Amino acid sequence: MPRPEALPDRPAAPFDPLAAHRFRTALGMGPELIARDLRVSYGLPHVGPELVLAWEEGSAQPSEAEVNALAGTLWCSPAELLARPRTLREHRVALGLAPEDVARAVGLDARSYLRLEEKDAWRGTDRQSAALIALFGLTPAEYVTVSGQEERLAELLTKAVTTRWQGHARQIAKLVPLERGVVDDALRALHAEYRARMATPLGRDLRDRAAEYFWAAVEKGTGEGDRGVRRGWKTDS
């Protein structure tokens, strides 16, 4: 069976230049030593000290292969060299996983997974989504982001807060990996808060930043923090 085509070795954004500099100086290594190790140990003949410094200054972005190699040289994980990931690819690179690893874990063939990654929009069954959430350790908000549904969710939440929330709850529940009761409770609380304060600056802020207030309401309602809301997750079927 032919091996699926990989995506081009694009920059593994968002790279964190300050983290790279911090790890290097903590090891007491100059850019010349880092570059030599990348050439000798990781087969990157094009890397010189100038490129290492360019990565640390933010004037150049390392590719996925370069990030993985640099992490090995600096004795850290790829995730520690990246800012907070947002896309499917960024989450995968941060964990140092190959596309085939993710595809196998979620029950897709590698070619199908790569197409989703290229589109920056996750689409999967409830069971596949649950596997992706577990593999990447996603929060509900991060899941919406990798699904490419942030803007749509924000639009629906603004409507739910400012009109009849019941009329939008079903659509919102389809976008977020939460039980319907958790969604309803958060929307009910936000709507009541908006109605009580709609003529105040807080009311306007709630309307304009409905998504942020929604996630805060979910966390408050479930008693869980940002990395969890586990009691509110949809159960896979």
Side-chain angles (χ1 to χ4, degrees), residues 29-91:
M29 299 174 68
E32 298 83 4
L33 286 176
I34 298 295
R36 186 177 68 183
D37 193 45
L38 291 173
R39 292 194 302 270
V40 174
S41 301
Y42 293 92
L44 299 175
H46 62 284
V47 177
E50 299 83 5
L51 182 55
V52 172
L53 288 174
W55 291 339
E56 293 183 5
E57 293 166 357
S59 58
Q61 285 280 304
S63 68
E64 179 179 334
E66 290 166 341
V67 167
N68 289 331
L70 184 61
T73 297
L74 296 176
W75 290 84
C76 65
S77 69
E80 292 175 291
L81 295 177
L82 300 175
R84 186 163 184 160
R86 289 180 55 82
T87 66
L88 278 172
R89 183 172 184 273
E90 289 169 6
H91 279 284

Side-chain angles (χ1 to χ4, degrees), residues 20 93 107-108 146 174 184:
V93 172
L108 287 171
V146 300
K174 286 183 177 181
D184 287 355

Side-chain angles (χ1 to χ4, degrees), residues 172-236:
I172 291 170
K174 286 183 177 181
L175 299 183
V176 300
L178 297 168
E179 296 289 355
R180 177 62 185 270
V182 173
V183 173
D184 287 355
D185 288 346
L187 292 179
R188 185 182 298 107
L190 287 187
H191 182 72
E193 183 75 8
Y194 177 75
R195 295 288 294 177
R197 303 176 183 271
M198 59 189 300
T200 69
L202 179 58
R204 290 189 291 273
D205 190 54
L206 198 157
R207 178 196 62 203
D208 296 338
R209 298 166 54 208
E212 294 177 47
Y213 281 92
F214 172 75
W215 294 121
V218 167
E219 291 173 18
K220 182 179 179 181
T222 57
E224 302 276 350
D226 178 63
R227 297 309 308 173
V229 200
R230 299 301 178 191
R231 285 180 295 183
W233 286 112
K234 284 179 182 173
T235 54
D236 56 325

Side-chain angles (χ1 to χ4, degrees), residues 85-158:
R86 289 180 55 82
T87 66
L88 278 172
R89 183 172 184 273
E90 289 169 6
H91 279 284
R92 175 177 64 76
V93 172
L95 292 172
L97 298 173
E100 293 83 358
D101 297 329
V102 180
R104 188 180 309 111
V106 301
L108 287 171
D109 64 86
R111 192 183 300 274
S112 296
Y113 171 75
L114 282 170
R115 282 198 293 266
L116 295 174
E117 193 170 284
E118 190 169 28
K119 293 176 181 177
D120 284 336
W122 166 256
R123 297 291 183 271
T125 65
D126 285 349
R127 187 177 295 277
Q128 290 168 336
S129 296
L132 184 80
I133 288 165
L135 180 65
F136 287 170
L138 300 176
T139 66
E142 287 172 337
Y143 174 80
V144 172
T145 299
V146 300
S147 301
Q149 298 288 351
E150 261 187 325
E151 289 186 15
R152 177 59 176 159
L153 178 62
E155 175 187 340
L156 288 171
L157 286 171
T158 298

